[in-house]
Amino acid sequence: MKNISWLVVFILMLTLGLAPFVPEPHIWEKLKMLSAGELRAGIDVFDLFMHGAPFLLAGAKLVEQFTRPTN
């Protein structure tokens, strides 16, 4: 993961993570469905993982950055 730059991660978060922007970001819609217990259809679960992947990548990159031993 250290080979993926932060710029690429931010671009992924802003594009894939938040698209479509209108009327609300898709990830936000899917998280609301998840919290309401309405996330049942397979396509909705796939959408949650697809639009959430850039945020998971950012989290994993942060964990790696702070747990990597310094030389």
Side-chain angles (χ1 to χ4, degrees):
M1 244 177 294
K2 63 182 174 183
N3 295 333
I4 303 172
S5 74
W6 275 108
L7 178 62
V8 170
V9 173
F10 285 128
I11 290 171
L12 284 172
M13 286 173 28
L14 291 175
T15 56
L16 178 62
L18 296 177
F21 302 102
V22 177
E24 64 183 1
H26 222 50
I27 186 73
W28 183 247
E29 176 187 356
K30 299 306 174 189
L31 288 173
K32 288 192 321 188
M33 288 174 70
L34 180 65
S35 68
E38 299 171 353
L39 194 71
R40 293 186 183 99
I43 191 68
D44 291 331
V45 174
F46 172 75
D47 268 355
L48 176 64
F49 284 113
M50 185 180 72
H51 291 285
F55 298 101
L56 293 174
L57 176 64
K61 194 160 174 60
L62 275 172
V63 167
E64 178 196 36
Q65 184 174 354
F66 288 112
T67 60
R68 186 180 335 150
T70 57
N71 292 334

